[in-house]
Amino acid sequence: MKKIFYLFAATVVLAAVGCSKDDAAQEEVKYVSEIKIGFEGDTRVTAEQIASGLKFSFEDGEEICLNEYNPDRIGINIYYVYDASSKTFKAKDEVYKLQEGKKYFAMAGSYLSISVDLDDADNIIAHPSLNTNTGLSNIPMITDVFTASADGTVATMHHLVGVVEVPVKLSEDSTNDILGKIILSGSKGINLSGDMIATPAAPYLKEVKGGGDLTTSGNLDIKLSKDAAISVFIPVLPGTYTDAITLNWYRSGDNTAHSTILGGTYSEPKTLVVERGKITKVTERTISLD
């Protein structure tokens, strides 16, 4: 899981290069080498349930994948890489850059390329996925459509998934205190993670696709306290979950699972509502790591 930071605004520096064609009268193509990415509400995760949301920066070298918003050029991926020194994304390849005046959208998340195509109404859609074991560092996000500009290209990222906050505290009788892993798992048919269909315009998340009996987890290795709870944040597909969801936890270096039903029992589970871009905080859990 990434360390928590505040994302500071940065001045966008643009470098334009051109390539002329045989026709001297043809206007020179101009490229945008650097872009700035902000977040919806200035945060990657905006939480209405707590005083402030999680705010953290991109990591140096983190990639985003862009695609031209053009039905005739879908599936042509362009990569930009985050440069921490300038707090902007720079073109990864000198050959593939954004062209000034053209429309694009960007995605971030745990994939190396964007699978993009057209729906039945010929609208451009993308197919990201919320994979297991990625934590908050690779949750899928998408921008609105923006126009590349030499005057300063700025795009806004929007969340496609929600986050479940699980406060955990060490029980008085526990002799071990290092939590290795915590997992939310759904019974058969509950898709806590998996594939989705997204659009570069509100409401962004168009459809959550099936995935069967999946889990969403975060690898931790953090020291728990008996005096105060420590919150663990786990990304989950948006939805209203009315069936039992199990909270499993593991001592560091041990594959023996301890578990409890989250918010209820198998016969009377508590409804869990997960919203796109929001944190859902569940009841504090006191756990033993023995």
Side-chain angles (χ1 to χ4, degrees):
M1 186 178 299
K2 290 188 177 179
K3 294 181 179 179
I4 298 173
F5 296 94
Y6 278 89
L7 178 65
F8 296 99
T11 301
V12 180
V13 181
L14 299 174
V17 297
C19 61
S20 59
K21 296 188 178 181
D22 294 336
D23 185 358
Q26 186 172 355
E27 185 176 347
E28 184 181 35
V29 176
K30 295 182 179 179
Y31 297 95
V32 176
S33 297
E34 296 184 7
I35 64 174
K36 176 184 173 184
I37 301 290
F39 292 104
E40 178 181 14
D42 295 327
T43 65
R44 277 202 182 183
V45 180
T46 301
E48 292 184 347
Q49 293 86 350
I50 58 178
S52 61
L54 291 179
K55 301 185 179 184
F56 51 106
S57 69
F58 286 108
E59 290 185 346
D60 193 45
E62 186 171 348
E63 291 186 12
I64 57 172
C65 187
L66 300 102
N67 211 282
E68 187 176 339
Y69 194 69
N70 181 345
D72 296 325
R73 290 177 56 82
I74 59 175
I76 302 176
N77 296 311
I78 303 171
Y79 298 94
Y80 276 58
V81 180
Y82 186 67
D83 175 58
S85 61
S86 64
K87 295 185 172 62
T88 62
F89 281 86
K90 296 184 177 182
K92 182 178 181 180
D93 194 318
E94 288 298 315
V95 177
Y96 299 102
K97 295 181 180 180
L98 306 185
Q99 292 187 29
E100 185 178 358
K102 289 190 174 182
K103 295 182 180 298
Y104 298 88
F105 68 97
M107 295 192 73
S110 54
Y111 39 81
L112 296 178
S113 63
I114 305 173
S115 175
V116 177
D117 57 23
L118 303 176
D119 63 13
D120 294 337
D122 289 334
N123 298 310
I124 293 178
I125 58 175
H127 302 271
S129 178
L130 174 62
N131 297 321
T132 60
N133 298 312
T134 58
L136 289 178
S137 62
N138 285 308
I139 53 179
M141 297 178 286
I142 193 169
T143 68
D144 298 291
V145 176
F146 63 90
T147 301
S149 171
D151 295 330
T153 301
V154 179
T156 301
M157 279 286 184
H158 300 274
H159 286 282
L160 294 173
V161 301
V163 172
V164 174
E165 178 184 357
V166 184
V168 288
K169 182 180 178 181
L170 196 64
S171 65
E172 291 294 334
D173 59 349
S174 182
T175 57
N176 293 290
D177 61 0
I178 304 298
L179 177 64
K181 182 167 60 176
I182 193 167
I183 295 176
L184 292 182
S185 62
S187 58
K188 189 173 180 60
I190 298 180
N191 304 313
L192 301 181
S193 63
D195 299 329
M196 63 196 79
I197 297 176
T199 63
Y204 307 107
L205 185 60
K206 183 176 181 180
E207 180 182 345
V208 174
K209 303 175 69 175
D213 187 10
L214 300 175
T215 63
T216 298
S217 65
N219 295 312
L220 305 170
D221 283 336
I222 59 175
K223 185 173 183 178
L224 295 185
S225 169
K226 296 180 180 180
D227 300 322
I230 296 174
S231 285
V232 177
F233 297 90
I234 304 175
V236 176
L237 288 179
T240 300
Y241 302 98
T242 57
D243 293 325
I245 295 176
T246 304
L247 175 68
N248 304 276
W249 64 91
Y250 300 79
R251 186 180 67 204
S252 181
D254 189 357
N255 290 324
T256 302
H258 305 272
S259 64
T260 184
I261 303 302
L262 189 68
T265 65
Y266 278 112
S267 58
E268 296 180 351
K270 181 180 179 181
T271 298
L272 177 67
V273 179
V274 179
E275 298 181 66
R276 182 187 65 80
K278 302 292 178 63
I279 294 177
T280 299
K281 187 174 183 178
V282 299
T283 304
E284 178 183 308
R285 298 285 169 167
T286 301
I287 63 176
S288 173
L289 295 175
D290 294 334

